Amino acid sequence: MARGWTPPAGFAAARRTSKAAQLRADTTGSRSARLTNSSDSRLTWESTFQLLHGFIDENMLVIADTSFVLFPAAEFLIRKRKYFIAQAAWLSIGYSAAATVGASMTLPKGPARVVALAGDGGFQMTAAALSTLARYRKPAIVLLFDNGIYGIEQLLTNKAFYPEESQEPLDFFNELARWDYVKYAEALGCQGYLARTQVELSATLAAVQASVERPCLIDIKLPARDLPPEIRASLQPTASIAQTTNGLTTAEEPDSRPRIALAGLN
């Protein structure tokens, strides 16, 4: 910091270390009470990442696949250089399982391990990479976000599907074949876990953190119509449109169809 420079108001609170520390403190400090008292402990994108902020530590190399995970994963505090891998430019769907193999081979022996965050659609493209992880006994952790659909593609083809109360049907070509991911992982020599609630995910994260003998996969069940808050917040109805006809200006009724900025997805 330059001598004599006074940081503006809010500077300290906005620093990544401060924000991440507060997220972790909020997550770990109130987790037990929240899970015990909650009448709705189902997993959503938001509740899942609230738990993950208390799970990811400085020894974890994080790989985020091309899926909805890219957006909330950007909030993780990564303290080491080269310990966050994402394809924000090329957007190759499904690369994370294979990339986990390569990244695991580069890590020194000790507490360091790879944590991959993958959508179920992308994972199905390269899932056999689990076999190599098991063969070399790499203690990687695959967090599989299982909503049963190609989520980004559905957002691009018909985003009206996404409000939770929507009755809009899923485009048939975005529906995935249903796999038993836990049995698949176990068949390839990995440890498989299923998490359907916040309580189950919290317990499972503790179990995989202690497991360092072989790779682990957690099948995280999510509602198909749920979105990460970073994307949900950008769904906005368009404003009224002014038209000029024969020199007179009239306002059309507001278009209530949802709109989203897709610059990061195209």
Side-chain angles (χ1 to χ4, degrees):
M1 185 179 298
R3 181 179 299 176
W5 181 75
T6 302
F11 177 82
R15 294 173 59 196
R16 288 298 307 135
T17 51
S18 301
K19 290 177 67 177
Q22 186 61 51
L23 279 169
R24 178 166 292 190
D26 291 345
T27 298
T28 56
S30 61
R31 180 188 303 173
S32 297
R34 186 177 66 250
L35 296 185
T36 301
N37 299 325
S38 176
S39 59
D40 181 12
S41 66
R42 68 174 184 158
L43 286 171
T44 62
W45 283 100
E46 185 171 12
S47 65
T48 296
F49 273 85
Q50 286 174 348
L51 291 171
L52 291 180
H53 276 290
F55 172 72
I56 299 297
D57 64 32
E58 63 276 6
N59 293 314
M60 295 176 177
L61 189 160
V62 176
I63 298 179
D65 210 317
T66 301
S67 74
F68 285 149
V69 303
L70 270 175
F71 297 85
E75 292 295 321
F76 289 144
L77 174 62
I78 307 298
R79 293 184 178 273
K80 296 180 181 179
R81 295 184 62 187
K82 302 180 181 179
Y83 265 54
F84 185 84
I85 299 174
Q87 290 211 8
W90 296 110
L91 297 176
S92 300
I93 298 174
Y95 82 96
S96 65
T100 298
V101 175
S104 294
M105 298 298 181
T106 70
L107 294 179
K109 291 184 178 180
R113 64 199 305 188
V114 175
V115 176
L117 291 77
D120 46 352
F123 177 77
Q124 288 188 6
M125 299 179 183
T126 56
L130 290 184
S131 178
T132 305
L133 290 171
R135 178 182 179 184
Y136 290 97
R137 304 185 70 82
K138 295 298 181 180
I141 301 169
V142 177
L143 304 175
L144 181 65
F145 295 80
D146 179 5
N147 59 7
I149 66 173
Y150 286 117
I152 288 179
E153 286 81 350
Q154 182 61 38
L155 192 66
L156 292 170
T157 58
N158 184 10
K159 47 192 167 285
F161 169 82
Y162 276 104
E164 195 167 0
E165 67 279 2
S166 174
Q167 300 298 315
E168 195 76 12
L170 176 72
D171 292 332
F172 74 92
F173 43 79
N174 288 325
E175 184 175 3
L176 295 175
R178 302 307 296 144
W179 289 17
D180 187 327
Y181 296 104
V182 173
K183 289 184 178 178
Y184 181 85
E186 291 173 346
L188 296 181
C190 305
Q191 181 66 53
Y193 298 87
L194 175 64
R196 294 159 295 193
T197 66
Q198 295 177 48
V199 173
E200 290 179 351
L201 180 57
S202 182
T204 300
L205 291 174
V208 299
Q209 198 161 29
S211 177
V212 295
E213 298 300 322
R214 56 175 172 163
C216 301
L217 177 143
I218 306 177
D219 180 3
I220 301 172
K221 297 291 187 183
L222 296 173
R225 295 185 191 271
D226 188 43
L227 288 170
E230 294 82 359
I231 296 179
R232 191 188 319 120
S234 67
L235 287 170
Q236 298 290 344
T238 56
S240 299
I241 302 173
Q243 281 191 335
T244 301
T245 306
N246 297 326
L248 299 175
T249 300
T250 59
E252 291 186 345
E253 290 296 318
D255 185 350
S256 61
R257 292 174 297 173
R259 295 288 188 261
I260 187 169
L262 298 176
L265 302 179
N266 286 331

